[in-house]
Amino acid sequence: MRRRPITQMPRRRSGPGERVLYWGAAVAASLLLLPLTLGAQARVETLVLSPEPGERVDQNAVLVAASFIDRDARLEPASIVLQVDGLNVTAEADVSAEVVTWIPRIPLLPGPHRVTLTARDRSGGAISPSNWAFTVTPAAEAAAAAAQLAPAGGAPLWTRLHGSLIFDGAATSVSGPGADLRRDETVLPRMWLNAGGILGAGWRYSARVHVSGYEDATRQPVNRYRLDIRSDWLSLAIGDVNPMVHDLILSGTRVRGIEGSIRAGPLRLTVVKGENRRAIEGLLDPTDPTQILRQGTYGQDLLAVRPALGGQTFQVGLTALRVRDEISSIGDLRTSAERRANPLPKDNVVAGADATLRLAGGRFLMQYENAISLLANDISAGPLTEPQLDSILDAAGYDPLNIDPSQYEKYFIMNASMIPLDPRGLTSLAQQARTSIRIGTNFLSVEWRSIGGSYYTLGYGALQRDRQGFRIRDSFTILNDAVALSGGYEQDEDNLDDVKPATTTNTGVFATASWQASPQAPAIVASVRQGTRQNDLRAGEDGALDERSLALSFGISYPIQVIAGFRTRLNLNVSAINRDDPANPLVESRDRYYLGGIQGETSDRTSELNLLYGLNQSELLGYENAKTDFHRLVANGRQLIRPRLTALLDLSRTSAKSPEAAEEFGLDYNRTEFLVGGEFEWTPASFITLTGGIVDYSDSRFPTLDTKEVVTRLRVNRSF
């Protein structure tokens, strides 16, 4: 059976031991470290920006990028780990709490490549990892194909279409008391289509489609459609785009519309226009119209423009953004004459500048960005008159603006709900500066950011406001790249406008070290992080904070010979997280993570076997009987049984147990999953995977959640 090639990057040596350690960390994050939430906080979500899953990318145009949607600022930036083909490239990436980007120093080899992105939140809990794959095409392939297929007259011509088509569908039969509560996106049919080709005269095109059975008119869009046309001077995208225009204004937000960029020598112009939020009607309880079942959502239109001057070495740009809720997009739903069922409609304008300097082939980088915003928090009544505006400003202690708001209604609606009421105080100013230096394997970066408490951009809702701080990070390798070291320090504080009763300061120092003398040698990874979260209230005062956290992690991967013909490694990982706060003992906690397993494969990867066991002990020290043990056992493997047929096995069992005295506040459940199947190589470019099995969930504390599920899943992967 011809296996799809697993290519490695020609960079720092890394053997299976190191890859296994990071694999173990990823598995621990996704399968073992189950998050414990103490409130209704929004989860951190990861958005893949580039390359799209399944996309074919030119060898010299690879940019790996992803953004985090973190509305509650729960992400711990120091915990972010980016892997490409099993190699940890975090030290080479540009990492922040919002975006991770990585450009390979040496072009990736042609063929498929896989990306894994993992992280933790500030309490140590795991954030669901992101995994996706893309294919690198040789740099000369596009030019050669165009030259070969272009007609004598030089007229444009569509070349042979290439891309991939993936279909993933499942049939389930769920029984048990909790069957009506099941609605899992992963078992609904989904399809991904990525296609593209070369046009004559230097033009390229690509199309991306993701269709999911999870699409619902009462939710924001899940399906994605995008068509790209590019040349040396024009880039045009139609459909669902995620523009990265300005890190403080518009950075990765989904917009259904159009994004275009024009380049003419040193002049550049980028325009984004479309809908970044779907209109959804609200819903009242038909049996009790005073109860809201679903709040309405206004359709939201976005327009962004960025002219820029310069090139790769130096560039300056100006960005303007306008986002407005369309009041007429949904009905004015009310539970009473005074109470609305819909949120307040908003209007937002943001403007900013940016400058970038790159020297020595990008080894020295300096960036600066700023932005200032105005937000009308309620535009339902329209703009004020000039006397009304002056009266409000006078009552608030501000000088008159001498502006008639009705003359500017087309651009921005000025009324009493404006934040800030007077922008001359610069409370809605946001700034950030970055610099980095790369010398050999050493990479040093420094970042400073200040986001005013009144700064709002509806083009980047996850950006945390009222925060100012800096971050220093350094990484390098020694001993012929056998040892990799990284470390850093960060600090930030809130209450920039001095309107809160106390100022909270966060600090963190972190370091990571890994060692592996050769690909066949043992590998060791260790990390430490210490953080504080304090405010200036005295101990004993309501709201006082004096929180300290310490996280330690150690892992080792050792080659052993268990099965003849198998390259086998024993993997052990131990982590400990302590959280203490003398000013608020109820939040103190202890978490311990133990992970051990064996991973093996034959040299041709026709057989693989993985066995993993993990234990997570989590305890809230401020409460009695608030300790829970999570156990996770995973066994999976694959075996080539015929030239084009591979058998698959996946078995897992998860259990959680709290003391009986915890009663309804504790956990006591078991989940068992048993799946078997096979992968058939239909053609050298087509694979069909069929799996089936049983998933059983039983909950001793809440029997109404018990389910038994029979699953059959089909996945078809076709490259062309």
Side-chain angles (χ1 to χ4, degrees):
M1 178 179 181
R2 187 184 67 83
R3 300 297 303 167
R4 287 163 286 187
I6 303 296
T7 57
Q8 298 293 336
M9 292 176 287
R11 56 177 74 246
R12 174 178 177 268
R13 289 201 309 262
S14 176
E18 186 177 12
R19 295 198 302 270
V20 164
L21 282 179
Y22 292 122
W23 165 85
V27 172
S30 61
L31 301 180
L32 174 62
L33 311 184
L34 304 178
L36 299 177
T37 57
L38 300 181
Q41 294 178 305
R43 66 177 183 176
V44 180
E45 299 178 1
T46 307
L47 174 65
V48 176
L49 302 176
S50 171
E52 292 276 351
E55 183 180 0
R56 296 175 68 91
V57 184
D58 185 271
Q59 193 173 27
N60 293 325
V62 175
L63 168 64
V64 176
S67 68
F68 296 100
I69 301 174
D70 184 18
R71 296 177 177 84
D72 293 325
R74 301 176 61 200
L75 177 68
E76 175 52 71
S79 70
I80 296 172
V81 175
L82 178 66
Q83 302 174 63
V84 178
D85 296 332
L87 303 181
N88 189 331
V89 298
T90 312
E92 302 176 1
D94 184 5
V95 179
S96 71
E98 292 81 28
V99 179
V100 178
T101 60
W102 176 74
I103 299 176
R105 291 185 290 127
I106 301 174
L108 299 183
L109 297 178
H113 296 269
R114 186 163 190 83
V115 181
T116 300
L117 181 62
T118 60
R120 300 175 185 267
D121 60 29
R122 294 188 183 273
S123 64
I127 294 169
S128 297
S130 292
N131 300 276
W132 75 98
F134 63 95
T135 300
V136 170
T137 59
E141 180 180 287
Q148 180 180 2
L149 296 176
L157 177 71
W158 291 74
T159 68
R160 180 177 64 86
L161 184 69
H162 61 78
S164 64
L165 174 65
I166 301 173
F167 172 80
D168 191 354
T172 62
S173 175
V174 185
S175 60
D180 292 339
L181 303 177
R182 290 278 298 167
R183 189 170 190 262
D184 189 353
E185 180 181 2
T186 62
V187 303
L188 295 173
R190 294 178 293 175
M191 183 192 74
W192 295 265
L193 171 65
N194 293 277
I198 309 299
L199 294 168
W203 289 82
R204 304 177 300 279
Y205 68 94
S206 64
R208 307 168 191 172
V209 176
H210 171 228
V211 180
S212 170
Y214 207 65
E215 178 76 13
D216 190 328
T218 62
R219 302 169 180 262
Q220 292 304 310
V222 175
N223 294 343
R224 296 288 187 267
Y225 313 93
R226 176 167 174 163
L227 173 66
D228 286 83
I229 299 175
R230 297 185 295 275
S231 71
D232 293 337
W233 61 273
L234 174 66
S235 176
L236 182 64
I238 303 173
D240 293 294
V241 298
N242 299 96
M244 303 285 291
V245 177
H246 189 293
D247 286 350
L248 299 175
I249 298 176
L250 180 58
S251 181
T253 297
R254 182 201 67 86
V255 179
R256 179 161 289 180
I258 184 171
E259 177 183 7
S261 297
I262 299 176
R263 296 175 293 278
L267 301 176
R268 298 165 183 251
L269 177 64
T270 300
V271 178
V272 181
K273 181 175 175 54
E275 178 187 77
N276 66 316
R277 202 167 62 187
R278 168 192 284 172
I280 301 174
E281 293 284 355
L283 180 65
L284 301 180
D285 188 341
T287 62
D288 184 1
T290 64
Q291 299 298 315
I292 303 172
L293 298 181
R294 181 181 66 240
Q295 268 198 331
T297 302
Y298 292 101
Q300 200 170 74
D301 293 331
L302 179 148
L303 173 64
V305 179
R306 179 183 182 268
L309 175 66
Q312 290 296 319
T313 300
F314 179 72
Q315 185 177 122
V316 293
L318 300 173
T319 301
L321 171 76
R322 190 279 183 84
V323 183
R324 177 179 289 183
D325 286 337
E326 292 299 325
I327 300 177
S328 61
S329 61
I330 58 175
D332 185 14
L333 193 65
R334 296 173 180 260
T335 58
S336 65
E338 297 80 17
R339 186 187 178 200
R340 291 176 172 172
N342 297 327
L344 299 175
K346 296 174 173 49
D347 194 5
N348 182 216
V349 291
V350 190
D354 62 271
T356 301
L357 174 66
R358 292 185 178 89
L359 299 175
R363 289 186 289 273
F364 176 77
L365 172 68
M366 290 186 65
Q367 292 179 310
Y368 172 75
E369 294 175 298
N370 64 29
I372 191 165
S373 72
L374 273 176
L375 175 75
N377 201 41
D378 182 6
I379 60 174
S380 57
L384 297 173
T385 64
E386 184 174 357
Q388 288 175 325
L389 178 61
D390 291 343
S391 175
I392 293 174
L393 290 173
D394 181 66
Y398 298 110
D399 295 330
L401 293 175
N402 298 319
I403 291 175
D404 183 1
S406 62
Q407 295 182 358
Y408 300 92
E409 181 179 3
K410 180 179 179 181
Y411 308 102
F412 181 71
I413 297 177
M414 288 181 278
N415 58 28
S417 70
M418 284 194 309
I419 303 175
L421 195 59
D422 186 349
R424 291 174 294 184
L426 298 182
T427 58
S428 63
L429 177 66
Q431 303 178 81
Q432 73 174 17
R434 296 172 179 163
T435 185
S436 64
I437 303 174
R438 187 191 301 275
I439 303 176
T441 64
N442 186 269
F443 182 75
L444 173 66
S445 63
V446 180
E447 177 180 348
W448 171 82
R449 171 178 284 191
S450 176
I451 312 295
S454 298
Y455 179 78
Y456 287 86
T457 170
L458 299 181
Y460 190 3
L463 183 65
Q464 188 177 13
R465 299 177 293 104
D466 191 23
R467 195 70 85 209
Q468 178 175 287
F470 66 91
R471 185 173 188 233
I472 303 174
R473 178 187 175 94
D474 192 19
S475 63
F476 57 92
T477 62
I478 58 175
L479 301 179
N480 198 25
D481 291 342
V483 177
L485 303 171
S486 65
Y489 176 81
E490 60 187 9
Q491 178 179 311
D492 66 61
E493 64 180 20
D494 64 0
N495 199 21
L496 305 189
D497 304 330
D498 199 26
V499 295
K500 297 179 180 179
T503 298
T504 300
T505 302
N506 300 284
T507 65
V509 58
F510 51 91
T512 301
S514 64
W515 171 78
Q516 187 174 23
S518 69
Q520 291 74 36
I524 297 175
V525 175
S527 67
V528 59
R529 175 177 179 82
Q530 185 171 23
T532 65
R533 185 167 178 258
Q534 302 169 315
N535 61 23
D536 46 18
L537 294 178
R538 289 178 297 181
E541 290 188 69
D542 189 27
L545 285 174
D546 187 18
E547 180 182 313
R548 302 176 185 273
S549 62
L550 176 64
L552 301 171
S553 179
F554 178 81
I556 184 169
S557 174
Y558 195 85
I560 59 175
Q561 187 66 41
V562 178
I563 304 175
F566 262 64
R567 299 178 299 189
T568 311
R569 281 186 172 262
L570 175 66
N571 310 301
L572 300 172
N573 293 81
V574 179
S575 299
I577 300 176
N578 293 347
R579 183 184 179 192
D580 300 295
D581 188 348
N584 187 15
L586 292 180
V587 304
E588 296 186 340
S589 63
R590 297 286 184 271
D591 286 274
R592 301 293 182 265
Y593 307 98
Y594 308 96
L595 180 69
I598 294 177
Q599 182 184 37
E601 62 183 16
T602 57
S603 58
D604 58 1
R605 298 194 65 201
T606 57
S607 298
E608 298 179 19
L609 177 64
N610 304 301
L611 181 64
L612 171 72
Y613 170 74
L615 169 64
N616 167 211
Q617 295 178 324
S618 181
E619 182 177 11
L620 297 176
L621 302 182
Y623 299 86
E624 294 184 359
N625 305 307
K627 180 178 180 181
T628 302
D629 290 344
F630 297 90
H631 298 265
R632 177 76 168 174
L633 177 64
V634 178
N636 56 63
R638 56 189 300 132
Q639 174 64 50
L640 181 67
I641 57 177
R642 300 193 65 179
R644 294 191 296 169
L645 181 62
T646 300
L648 308 174
L649 172 66
D650 194 342
L651 172 66
S652 67
R653 180 175 176 82
T654 304
S655 65
K657 180 71 173 179
S658 303
E660 293 294 336
E663 299 179 345
E664 70 271 14
F665 298 102
L667 299 175
D668 189 1
Y669 70 79
N670 291 281
R671 185 182 187 274
T672 303
E673 182 174 325
F674 178 74
L675 299 173
V676 295
E679 181 182 79
F680 178 66
E681 184 183 17
W682 183 17
T683 69
S686 303
F687 290 84
I688 300 176
T689 305
L690 179 64
T691 57
I694 299 174
V695 180
D696 181 86
Y697 178 86
S698 61
D699 195 317
S700 299
R701 299 281 173 89
F702 304 98
T704 55
L705 300 178
D706 290 0
T707 58
K708 293 185 182 297
E709 184 175 0
V710 179
V711 180
T712 303
R713 173 166 292 168
L714 174 67
R715 187 179 182 91
V716 180
N717 191 327
R718 167 69 174 171
S719 299
F720 51 87

